[in-house]
Amino acid sequence: MPIRAKFKVQSITRIAGWGGPKEFHTIKLQPVVGGSPENKEFFANTPSGSIELAVVVASVGEQFDIGKEYYVDFTEAPAA
């Protein structure tokens, strides 16, 4: 059964990549804590945690903005 959580972007760090013009985007997210009835419900079930993404594709990293909220769905992957 999938598990849904709701996270908010706390910080974004963009640094130059190694050996080229690429940028690395590090996006740090924390569970939502309030601001809406939905967020309060998510907070009651997921009060703490963190997600940190290191993204090397600029078009993906640029889709995240500080303060925006995102759903995160966890679905078990088949064994390799």
Short mmCIF file of all heavy atoms in Angstrom, two decimals, residues 4 27 35 56 64 79:
data_model
loop_
_atom_site.label_atom_id
_atom_site.label_comp_id
_atom_site.label_asym_id
_atom_site.label_seq_id
_atom_site.Cartn_x
_atom_site.Cartn_y
_atom_site.Cartn_z
N ARG A 4 1.69 8.23 1.62
CA ARG A 4 1.85 9.60 1.14
C ARG A 4 2.26 10.49 2.31
O ARG A 4 1.69 10.43 3.39
CB ARG A 4 0.56 10.12 0.52
CG ARG A 4 0.65 11.60 0.12
CD ARG A 4 -0.45 12.03 -0.76
NE ARG A 4 0.03 11.80 -2.13
CZ ARG A 4 -0.55 12.30 -3.21
NH1 ARG A 4 -1.65 13.01 -3.11
NH2 ARG A 4 -0.06 12.06 -4.40
N ILE A 27 18.46 19.98 -2.51
CA ILE A 27 17.16 20.43 -2.02
C ILE A 27 16.88 19.72 -0.70
O ILE A 27 16.93 18.49 -0.64
CB ILE A 27 16.03 20.13 -3.03
CG1 ILE A 27 16.31 20.86 -4.35
CG2 ILE A 27 14.68 20.53 -2.50
CD1 ILE A 27 16.63 19.97 -5.48
N GLY A 35 -0.54 25.34 8.85
CA GLY A 35 -0.90 26.26 7.78
C GLY A 35 -2.20 25.91 7.09
O GLY A 35 -2.77 26.74 6.39
N VAL A 56 21.35 16.69 -10.43
CA VAL A 56 22.33 17.17 -11.39
C VAL A 56 21.71 17.67 -12.69
O VAL A 56 22.38 18.28 -13.51
CB VAL A 56 23.40 16.10 -11.71
CG1 VAL A 56 24.22 15.77 -10.47
CG2 VAL A 56 22.78 14.86 -12.30
N PHE A 64 11.93 23.13 -7.99
CA PHE A 64 11.72 23.28 -6.55
C PHE A 64 11.94 24.72 -6.14
O PHE A 64 12.85 25.39 -6.64
CB PHE A 64 12.70 22.39 -5.78
CG PHE A 64 12.43 20.92 -5.93
CD1 PHE A 64 13.01 20.20 -6.96
CD2 PHE A 64 11.59 20.26 -5.05
CE1 PHE A 64 12.76 18.84 -7.11
CE2 PHE A 64 11.33 18.91 -5.18
CZ PHE A 64 11.92 18.21 -6.22
N ALA A 79 11.97 -6.40 -5.81
CA ALA A 79 13.36 -6.77 -5.58
C ALA A 79 14.09 -6.88 -6.91
O ALA A 79 13.53 -7.35 -7.90
CB ALA A 79 13.44 -8.09 -4.82
#
